[in-house]
Amino acid sequence: SRLKYESGTHRVQRVPLTESGGRIHTSAATVAVLPEAEDVDVAIDAKDLRIDTYCASGAGGQYVNRTETAIRITHLPTGLVVQCQDEKSQLKNKEKAMKVLRARLKARAEQEQADAVAADRKHQVGSGDRSERIRTYNFPQGRVTDHRIGLTIHRIDDVLSGDLDELLAALITADQAERLKQVNE
């Protein structure tokens, strides 16, 4: 929850070892902080289903024309339709159709979750342009500047080693102050 403030474009200014003229090279990296995706569980309520039976078609002799063993299940909330007429037993066809329906609903839910994560990632990362920077790491001066709150610290080695406490505390304080300001307006 504290690392959510790290999402965005991070700009790095450095002088590479191969640079003979001592010029500063600027590059950018985008960061997205997302929660781990949970496994999607599909619960199907019986009242959300419309189950139709009909005579199977195709080869099988006169038996297929006399008994309604084929099953068509419609999931009303999504409009998904699954049909099964593989077995001679209506019960077996229904079980098979329910498995297929459950698999399709799970695939649909996983795709919706993946789309939501992709949209969240795109929102966090932006275009990746250096002008959208949230933080600059300047190696020649040994400083880290967070542009959202205007905080500059001269401990780049500590920050790159994972000591983000000072930055995160300032970001959390600024975020809470902004939320309080919005509530009071």
Side-chain angles (χ1 to χ4, degrees):
S1 65
R2 294 184 64 194
L3 292 177
K4 67 183 175 184
Y5 300 105
E6 295 299 299
S7 61
T9 303
H10 293 248
R11 183 174 70 170
V12 178
Q13 296 175 322
R14 62 189 180 86
V15 179
L17 296 173
T18 57
E19 176 59 55
S20 60
R23 293 179 298 210
I24 295 176
H25 290 227
T26 302
S27 53
T30 54
V31 176
V33 179
L34 303 167
E36 286 187 30
E38 296 178 14
D39 197 23
V40 178
D41 187 29
V42 178
I44 300 175
D45 195 358
K47 67 181 179 192
D48 291 340
L49 300 177
R50 186 178 74 226
I51 300 174
D52 302 315
T53 58
Y54 57 98
C55 291
S57 61
Q62 295 174 354
Y63 178 78
V64 295
N65 298 322
R66 287 193 315 223
T67 57
E68 294 189 351
T69 57
I71 294 283
R72 180 184 309 112
I73 300 176
T74 305
H75 187 247
L76 299 173
T78 61
L80 277 175
V81 178
V82 176
Q83 300 180 64
C84 185
Q85 60 181 21
D86 300 345
E87 306 290 333
K88 284 187 174 185
S89 161
Q90 187 183 88
L91 185 62
K92 287 182 181 178
N93 279 333
K94 184 177 179 183
E95 288 173 3
K96 223 175 191 181
M98 285 300 291
K99 284 181 184 177
V100 171
L101 178 65
R102 201 170 274 110
R104 287 186 184 169
L105 286 172
K106 182 176 181 173
R108 178 181 268 194
E110 287 172 348
Q111 184 61 46
E112 287 173 1
Q113 185 180 40
D115 292 346
V117 167
D120 192 21
R121 173 179 280 125
K122 184 174 172 71
H123 172 72
Q124 288 184 29
V125 169
S127 70
D129 188 28
R130 288 187 303 205
S131 63
E132 291 184 350
R133 69 192 184 271
I134 62 165
R135 189 172 300 144
T136 297
Y137 304 87
N138 187 304
F139 282 89
Q141 297 176 7
R143 69 176 165 83
V144 177
T145 303
D146 196 299
H147 301 287
R148 297 167 290 183
I149 56 175
L151 175 67
T152 300
I153 56 176
H154 292 277
R155 296 184 301 110
I156 193 168
D157 292 331
D158 293 342
V159 170
L160 292 177
S161 295
D163 185 9
L164 300 172
D165 291 338
E166 185 177 352
L167 284 165
L168 292 176
L171 286 165
I172 291 170
T173 302
D175 185 43
Q176 289 173 345
E178 182 66 29
R179 289 181 191 206
L180 282 173
K181 184 176 154 185
Q182 289 176 356
V183 168
N184 292 332
E185 289 179 352

